Amino acid sequence: MSLDPAFLGRSEVATAEAMEELGLRIGEQLEAGDLLILTGPLGAGKTTFTRGLAEGLGVRGPVQSPTFVIARTHPSLVGRAPLVHVDAYRLGTGAELDDLDLDLTRSVVVIEWGRGMAEDLADSWWDIELERPVGATGDDIDPSELDSDAPRIVTITRGVR
């Protein structure tokens, strides 16, 4: 788990393009065995971040939210680790997540909505929280604005069991 310490902490990401760029820069550093747990409300930028991460890893796309299929594997196009992209929103427990039998040792695994369920999958992980502007909650946001370029706050910490 070798991520430049400069990424740790809290920062503002101004646009969707900048969110994708952040993912790309992080993806360039990741390797097999890395686990990222993404947390944030609907429209916060989790999938946008993951698209950039996939580009940085050099995996086959397109990267879309795996909400209905739960998990998608994107093989590497450049001889690096594949990306396993999971959406745990419809899962109820960590046991259901564990039942997916994810290849945690040979892949980079990104789990959206995984906080509280995914921490037992590995000894350490990257916890990435994405926040939308105040007042933009899942209940009151216009669906047409989910991809708007309003600034997001990204907080990256290292989780250890």
Side-chain angles (χ1 to χ4, degrees):
M1 300 199 85
S2 55
L3 185 61
D4 184 337
F7 289 112
L8 297 176
R10 185 175 171 95
S11 59
E12 182 175 295
V13 178
T15 64
E17 181 178 277
M19 182 68 76
E20 204 163 317
E21 176 67 23
L22 174 63
L24 183 144
R25 291 188 350 250
I26 289 174
E28 290 173 336
Q29 298 182 31
L30 298 175
E31 54 194 39
D34 284 337
L35 171 64
L36 293 84
I37 300 174
L38 303 184
T39 302
L42 187 64
K46 297 179 295 293
T47 301
T48 301
F49 173 86
T50 304
R51 273 190 209 109
L53 192 129
E55 185 178 343
L57 281 168
V59 300
R60 186 174 69 210
V63 172
Q64 304 168 347
S65 178
T67 301
F68 297 105
V69 295
I70 310 290
R72 282 195 174 97
T73 299
H74 299 273
S76 178
L77 298 172
V78 295
R80 296 185 61 206
L83 171 66
V84 177
H85 184 197
V86 180
D87 187 326
Y89 183 77
R90 296 185 319 137
L91 301 179
T93 67
E96 288 180 284
L97 188 57
D98 191 44
D99 284 346
L100 296 176
D101 198 27
L102 303 171
D103 187 354
L104 293 161
T105 57
R106 292 183 291 185
S107 305
V108 170
V109 178
V110 174
I111 303 176
E112 296 186 25
W113 304 96
R115 188 181 281 162
M117 284 192 277
E119 294 85 355
D120 288 336
L121 295 176
D123 291 333
S124 61
W125 60 92
W126 301 106
D127 187 89
I128 302 175
E129 183 165 359
L130 295 90
E131 302 171 58
R132 277 200 319 255
V134 174
T137 66
D139 296 332
D140 66 2
I141 193 166
D142 178 345
S144 67
E145 296 177 12
L146 288 176
D147 290 326
S148 69
D149 271 346
R152 305 309 203 245
I153 302 298
V154 178
T155 305
I156 302 175
T157 57
R158 176 100 184 257
V160 179
R161 186 162 46 118

